[in-house]
C-alpha cells in the first residue's frame, strides 16, 4: 500500500476527482457499446462519476476534516438519483461503496496521487 501523502493538498484531490470523472465517463461509453452484458459496469462507472461530481467544485475539498464530514453526511442519505442508470438499486449500492472508499482515502490521505485511468 502507498504511504500517507503527508500534508493535505486540495489541488491534488481536485485533480484526482477530475481524472476519475473522465475515466468514469470513458467506462460508461465502453459499457454502452456492449449493451446488456455490461449494465453493471455502466452503473458502477455512473456511481463513481456521480460521487466525484458532488465534490469536484465543493469547498469541502479544501480541508481534510470538512471532506470527511461531507462524505459521512452524504453516506447517511438513503436515496441517490441519476437519470439513465440501468438499475437504481445497483447504482445506490455502488454509490455507497464508492463513498466508503473515498472516506477511507480521505481519512488516511492516501491514493490521491494515483491519477492513471485504471486504479
Amino acid at each position: 500500500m502507498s504511504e500517507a501523502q503527508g500534508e493535505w493538498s486540495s489541488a491534488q484531490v481536485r485533480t484526482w476527482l477530475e481524472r476519475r470523472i473522465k475515466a468514469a465517463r470513458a467506462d460508461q461509453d465502453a459499457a454502452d457499446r456492449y449493451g446488456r452484458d455490461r449494465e453493471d459496469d455502466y452503473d458502477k462507472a455512473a456511481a463513481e462519476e456521480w460521487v466525484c461530481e458532488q465534490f469536484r467544485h465543493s469547498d469541502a475539498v479544501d480541508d481534510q476534516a470538512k471532506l470527511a464530514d461531507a462524505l459521512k453526511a452524504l453516506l447517511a442519505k438513503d436515496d441517490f438519483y441519476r437519470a439513465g442508470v440501468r438499475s437504481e438499486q445497483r447504482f445506490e449500492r455502488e454509490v455507497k461503496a464508492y463513498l466508503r472508499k473515498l472516506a477511507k482515502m480521505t481519512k488516511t490521505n492516501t491514493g490521491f496521487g494515483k491519477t492513471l485511468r485504471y486504479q
Side-chain angles (χ1 to χ4, degrees):
M1 279 187 98
S2 60
E3 295 181 22
Q5 297 174 353
E7 204 170 310
W8 183 256
S9 172
S10 61
Q12 187 174 30
V13 174
R14 287 184 198 283
T15 300
W16 184 86
L17 289 169
E18 291 283 341
R19 299 264 174 97
R20 293 315 311 152
I21 290 169
K22 288 179 184 176
R25 288 180 181 158
D27 290 345
Q28 288 174 65
D29 290 342
D32 259 345
R33 284 191 294 262
Y34 289 98
R36 293 184 68 91
D37 293 341
R38 298 251 178 109
E39 285 182 349
D40 54 340
D41 292 342
Y42 182 91
D43 290 340
K44 186 174 183 177
E48 180 179 8
E49 178 189 7
W50 188 88
V51 169
C52 291
E53 280 288 349
Q54 299 302 306
F55 296 104
R56 180 169 69 165
H57 298 295
S58 173
D59 293 337
V61 174
D62 295 334
D63 182 50
Q64 187 174 4
K66 276 179 158 179
L67 182 58
D69 291 341
L71 287 164
K72 283 181 189 177
L74 195 55
L75 192 54
K77 268 180 72 173
D78 285 336
D79 59 339
F80 305 96
Y81 176 75
R82 180 172 183 259
V85 296
R86 307 304 190 252
S87 167
E88 288 183 28
Q89 187 177 20
R90 185 173 43 225
F91 173 75
E92 288 182 15
R93 185 177 59 241
E94 294 293 345
V95 165
K96 288 186 179 202
Y98 203 78
L99 284 169
R100 285 190 294 272
K101 174 188 173 184
L102 193 53
K104 183 178 178 182
M105 288 174 61
T106 301
K107 181 180 178 182
T108 60
N109 193 19
T110 57
F112 294 110
K114 298 178 184 177
T115 56
L116 298 177
R117 178 173 176 191
Y118 297 106
Q119 294 190 3

